Amino acid sequence: MTSIDPASLHAAPAVPATIDGEPVGRVSAVYVYEAPVRLWHWTNAAAISVLALTGYLIGQPLPTLSGEASQHYLMGTIRFLHFSAGYIFAVGFLFRIYWAFVGNHHARQLFILPFWSRAYWRGLFEEARWYFFLEAKPKKYVGHNPLAQFAMFWAIGVGSVFMIVTGFALYSEGAGPGSWQDHVFGWVIPLLGGSLDVHTWHRLGMWAILLFIIIHVYAAIREDIMSRQSIVSTMVSGVRTFKDDDPD
């Protein structure tokens, strides 16, 4: 992955930007993320939010409610929401894999990590220096920058597979022997040492993804403010805008 000069792209015409009538640079727009990718992104964010909240409550149940048990179904509702969000998360991930094949090349970045490219690793360390305030300005990238691609690959790409596999393995215990969940994912429980161990790994995976999300949101907002390209609005409109025409 290399940094690009927006002026060399087939982009919308550059529009002069001014402050008090004085030109300060140009803005070029490039269509990056297709609608299915953006829809998956926000659906995935909602599913993870529900999964994290309900998963935490399943691991740390609420106090017993007073009154007739038939009048309450709180934990049952929480488990239902968790399972429903889990299915949405899993089906959405399968769709995201499909779109990596039929979408544009930016849709494939989530599943590809160019270990063999020296330019990629050079860009990754340059971005790391930028995030640690050791570079005066960042490079320009149309899709994910190398550091973001690295984080997304491991946290969302590999992390989603891990959470889906361990989650359905735990679900198979309730679905029972002979269920499709048991046939497909039942092997995970003995492989990881037992049900309690799978619960522990699944819960640790939740905290790892939540930590990534905190960093991800911070980095996206920081880039929108400090970098030379849009980040947050790009995942809404699909269009990345470049805030200056410096080719470096």
Side-chain angles (χ1 to χ4, degrees):
M1 183 181 296
T2 57
S3 59
I4 57 92
D5 175 9
S8 67
L9 298 171
H10 298 293
V15 180
T18 62
I19 296 178
D20 295 332
E22 295 295 323
V24 295
R26 301 194 305 176
V27 176
S28 295
V30 184
Y31 186 66
V32 179
Y33 297 121
E34 299 160 301
V37 172
R38 305 196 308 273
L39 176 62
W40 168 81
H41 176 275
W42 296 112
T43 303
N44 205 48
I48 290 174
S49 298
V50 174
L51 283 166
L53 178 60
T54 56
Y56 177 82
L57 292 175
I58 290 171
Q60 298 287 334
L62 296 170
T64 301
L65 297 176
S66 61
E68 175 56 45
S70 62
Q71 302 298 317
H72 306 294
Y73 195 63
L74 180 59
M75 288 306 302
T77 300
I78 290 173
R79 284 169 58 84
F80 172 77
L81 291 174
H82 189 78
F83 297 154
S84 299
Y87 272 102
I88 292 172
F89 181 79
V91 172
F93 189 72
L94 291 175
F95 167 79
R96 185 64 179 82
I97 294 174
Y98 163 76
W99 199 259
F101 288 98
V102 302
N104 62 21
H105 68 277
H106 300 296
R108 291 185 280 278
Q109 281 190 298
L110 178 63
F111 303 102
I112 297 176
L113 204 59
F115 289 101
W116 56 88
S117 171
R118 294 179 63 183
Y120 168 80
W121 290 107
R122 183 169 61 251
L124 186 149
F125 287 113
E126 287 175 349
E127 286 299 312
R129 286 178 54 83
W130 160 248
Y131 282 111
F132 281 104
F133 302 95
L134 298 176
E135 293 285 347
K137 58 185 178 181
K139 301 292 184 181
K140 294 178 179 179
Y141 296 92
V142 175
H144 292 306
N145 67 56
L147 185 59
Q149 185 177 3
F150 182 88
M152 293 289 289
F153 174 84
W154 290 109
I156 301 301
V158 177
S160 293
V161 172
F162 177 81
M163 294 302 286
I164 289 169
V165 170
T166 55
F168 274 103
L170 294 172
Y171 188 86
S172 72
E173 292 185 299
S179 64
W180 73 264
Q181 294 92 344
D182 180 58
H183 284 302
V184 178
F185 299 102
W187 56 270
V188 176
I189 293 177
L191 177 67
L192 295 183
S195 178
L196 183 60
D197 296 277
V198 178
H199 275 89
T200 300
W201 283 110
H202 192 68
R203 198 167 182 82
L204 288 173
M206 176 194 76
W207 287 115
I209 289 178
L210 288 178
L211 177 61
F212 162 77
I213 290 173
I214 292 171
I215 297 173
H216 174 64
V217 172
Y218 159 75
I221 296 174
R222 176 186 185 273
E223 289 298 277
D224 250 15
I225 296 172
M226 298 181 61
S227 77
R228 303 150 68 198
Q229 53 262 318
S230 65
I231 302 295
V232 178
S233 61
T234 300
M235 197 48 73
V236 176
S237 67
V239 176
R240 175 146 294 156
T241 56
F242 296 90
K243 303 173 185 177
D244 62 56
D245 58 356
D246 182 353
D248 184 11

